[in-house]
Amino acid sequence: KSNYTLTVKPGRFTINKLKTLTVTASNYNKEYDGKSHTLEASAMVGGKPAEGITIEYNVDGSNDWTTTAPSIKDVGTKTVHIRANKNGYEAATATATMTVNAAPLHVTANAGQTKAYYADPVELKYDYTEGDLKNGEVPGFDGKLACTGNTKTSAVGDYDITCGMLALKDKDAFKAGNY
């Protein structure tokens, strides 16, 4: 027989999540090349790759996350939120920016264009540098080149040809905003 009565008060035991999960992604900032580029992200535990990590992406800032890495092709910018999860670890987060900048497209007025004095204005011709185009795209143009000497009553002489109202426009696979 004992002189004591044993009473145990229930306590609490907590297992905390580890904090060594990290996620990284590099910003993407390039000139338009006609190709789709996918964000690359990686996650590690204690600085080393580990199995069982899920990487999720969110582009629009909503609560909709996906395991499909976002991509970008056309000119513009996307801010991507990245989250890595692994059972037993606190989620790790990062943010990356994907930017595609406009590519140059060089348009050159054809050399040697002329008209006779007091003749009607002529359509000024131009060429573009095909090497500037991506994936075989064919540009669309709207408007015309301008030249102050391209009027019926312009004096004899040399005049500069300028861009005038010539502008790019979408045509088939060609998107003017990419140039």
Side-chain angles (χ1 to χ4, degrees):
K1 197 165 187 186
S2 169
N3 292 334
Y4 297 93
T5 303
L6 180 64
T7 304
V8 176
K9 285 189 167 186
R12 192 112 180 112
F13 178 76
T14 303
I15 298 175
N16 294 315
K17 290 184 176 188
L18 296 172
K19 296 181 180 183
T20 57
L21 179 63
T22 58
V23 63
T24 58
S26 296
N27 292 329
Y28 178 84
N29 188 348
K30 302 283 181 181
E31 184 177 281
Y32 174 73
D33 65 2
K35 299 175 186 170
S36 187
H37 299 275
T38 302
L39 182 72
E40 295 180 14
S42 62
M44 296 189 222
V45 172
K48 297 178 183 175
E51 294 199 16
I53 299 174
T54 302
I55 298 177
E56 298 174 300
Y57 306 89
N58 177 301
V59 176
D60 61 10
S62 71
N63 235 0
D64 297 327
W65 291 84
T66 178
T67 56
T68 303
S71 62
I72 191 167
K73 176 183 174 186
D74 295 322
V75 168
T77 299
K78 289 183 181 182
T79 299
V80 182
H81 303 282
I82 305 121
R83 175 173 70 188
N85 293 300
K86 180 172 173 55
N87 193 22
Y89 293 81
E90 287 186 14
T93 60
T95 302
T97 302
M98 301 177 75
T99 302
V100 173
N101 300 299
L105 177 58
H106 298 90
V107 175
T108 305
N110 293 356
Q113 298 187 67
T114 63
K115 77 172 199 71
Y117 176 72
Y118 209 69
D120 288 331
V122 296
E123 184 176 338
L124 299 169
K125 306 288 185 195
Y126 56 90
D127 287 315
Y128 55 87
T129 306
E130 288 189 32
D132 291 344
L133 298 168
K134 315 303 177 195
N135 293 334
E137 296 173 347
V138 177
F141 291 96
D142 216 1
K144 296 179 180 184
L145 294 175
C147 177
T148 57
N150 194 18
T151 67
K152 194 168 188 165
T153 59
S154 294
V156 172
D158 292 328
Y159 295 87
D160 290 331
I161 299 173
T162 62
C163 184
M165 298 300 289
L166 187 67
L168 292 172
K169 71 175 183 177
D170 292 350
K171 178 182 175 187
D172 302 321
F174 179 85
K175 291 184 180 175
N178 287 330
Y179 294 90

